[in-house]
Amino acid sequence: MNNAASQPVTAHDVTLSVALAADALLTAVDQDWHVPAGTLGWDCWETVEHMADDLFAYAAQLGPRKPPQDRHVPFAWQRKFEGGPAVTTFADPEAGNAGLIEMFEACGAFLAALVATSPPETRAHHAMGLADAEGFAAMGIVEVVVHMHDVAAGLDIAWTPPEDLCDRVLHRLFPEAPTDTARWPTLLWATGRGDIPGHARITGRWRWYAAPRE
């Protein structure tokens, strides 16, 4: 089932994941987004804002001519409340849900552009490994598709990302994940959100491997 070894994660994949998520969010644009996002301690607005901020932050890491190797690019960040997501980019509440979706799409475009234009030898800091552009693309996609799972549960909307996209991301970031199981359920399993046959549920803190695979 796993053909990902010869198919890298690309800027197009970032664009695709963001577009699919935005389209799903638009089906609920008139709903109240200040409801819990699945089992998270955040509401749906805060979770989408976090998704956008992750895309922005990953683009930022690739942005300098000499990307930092041991720290984040020093944008200031803050939390709205104790335990809330730490973010740099905030959507204007007056713009409503549609404005937040627009901001989310813009941040996705930032990351896609940096992934597409970064030289292959580029490496930049991430807490889970010194990553290349493909790694940041894959991490951005995981933030989008997995948190959309949380938001979809809160807003009661349909959300299932493409199997081949999940396959490439699993290969890039989760080398210990099984390769003979359905890809979307496996990505949920790898991020502590679901079960797959024959494998114990991941509890506690999960991780991915940002460093390039050999």
Side-chain angles (χ1 to χ4, degrees):
M1 182 180 294
N2 186 357
N3 299 314
S6 61
Q7 300 177 18
V9 181
T10 66
H12 171 75
D13 292 325
V14 175
T15 301
L16 174 63
S17 67
V18 171
L20 291 173
D23 287 346
L25 291 169
L26 284 169
T27 67
V29 71
D30 295 327
Q31 293 186 35
D32 178 8
W33 286 16
H34 294 290
V35 295
T39 59
L40 295 181
W42 310 335
D43 68 26
C44 291
W45 175 283
E46 292 156 352
T47 304
V48 176
E49 200 169 53
H50 166 74
M51 289 157 55
D53 191 72
D54 275 333
L55 296 167
F56 173 86
Y58 293 159
Q61 288 304 101
L62 294 169
R65 288 179 296 168
K66 294 182 178 181
Q69 305 292 288
D70 58 357
R71 57 175 174 79
H72 297 294
V73 174
F75 286 95
W77 56 266
Q78 60 180 300
R79 300 181 193 272
K80 291 181 179 178
F81 59 93
E82 184 68 27
V87 298
T88 293
T89 56
F90 294 90
D92 181 358
E94 295 298 319
N97 297 337
L100 177 54
I101 295 171
E102 190 174 273
M103 172 197 161
F104 167 64
E105 290 192 87
C107 290
F110 296 158
L111 179 57
L114 267 295
V115 169
T117 57
S118 294
E121 66 273 14
T122 298
R123 299 290 184 272
H125 170 75
H126 186 277
M128 296 189 188
L130 198 63
D132 59 359
E134 183 194 7
F136 281 106
M139 291 185 284
I141 291 166
V142 171
E143 295 289 353
V144 170
V145 301
V146 170
H147 280 313
M148 265 304 301
H149 171 76
D150 302 322
V151 172
L155 299 179
D156 194 24
I157 57 177
W159 175 249
T160 304
E163 284 282 288
D164 61 334
L165 178 64
C166 296
D167 190 38
R168 291 194 293 278
V169 169
L170 280 164
H171 177 81
R172 178 61 181 79
L173 297 178
F174 299 95
E176 297 176 358
T179 59
D180 59 350
T181 52
R183 303 290 77 199
W184 175 227
T186 302
L187 185 53
L188 290 175
W189 169 86
T191 54
R193 286 170 169 79
D195 299 293
I196 51 176
H199 297 271
R201 189 183 185 106
I202 295 177
T203 58
R205 189 171 179 84
W206 53 270
R207 67 157 296 163
W208 59 46
Y209 293 85
R213 293 192 65 170
E214 295 298 333

